[in-house]
Amino acid sequence: MNWLAWPFYCLTAFGLAFVVGQSKISLPFRVALAKAGPVGLFLVELLECPGCFGFWCGIAYSFTAHGRGLTLWAPPLWAGTIALGLFTCATNMVLNHYATNVYSRPQ
């Protein structure tokens, strides 16, 4: 993966986390999942947390990309998987903070 792909990856992961966890598009799904019981409510909390969702997106991407050479470096699979999960978690938290606290302020 070249260096230009990293900003694209970060924005794509944040966009996915926003659509799944905070947008009106997925609200009926989240409401139905929350009504399914305590496990459903726990899953909704994970989906609505941009850091949690970003961590699991990073884990999933790492598993799919590692064998295809789409990673920036080549650490052992478990180390790269955890590192990418934490990186995606952090970038989602920063971008969510910017989107909710800085960008949405009244002008």
Side-chain angles (χ1 to χ4, degrees), residues 40-92:
L41 191 59
F42 176 72
L43 291 175
V44 168
E45 289 180 14
L46 289 178
L47 290 174
E48 290 179 347
C49 170
C52 303
F53 191 82
F55 178 78
W56 293 112
C57 281
I59 296 287
Y61 178 78
S62 181
F63 276 123
T64 61
H66 190 76
R68 296 181 297 168
L70 297 176
T71 55
L72 188 60
W73 73 101
L77 179 61
W78 65 270
T81 300
I82 298 298
L84 191 60
L86 293 173
F87 173 78
T88 310
C89 171
T91 56
N92 273 4

Side-chain angles (χ1 to χ4, degrees), residues 25-43:
I25 295 170
S26 65
L27 184 61
F29 171 73
R30 294 191 318 255
V31 169
L33 189 60
K35 291 179 181 178
V39 173
L41 191 59
F42 176 72
L43 291 175

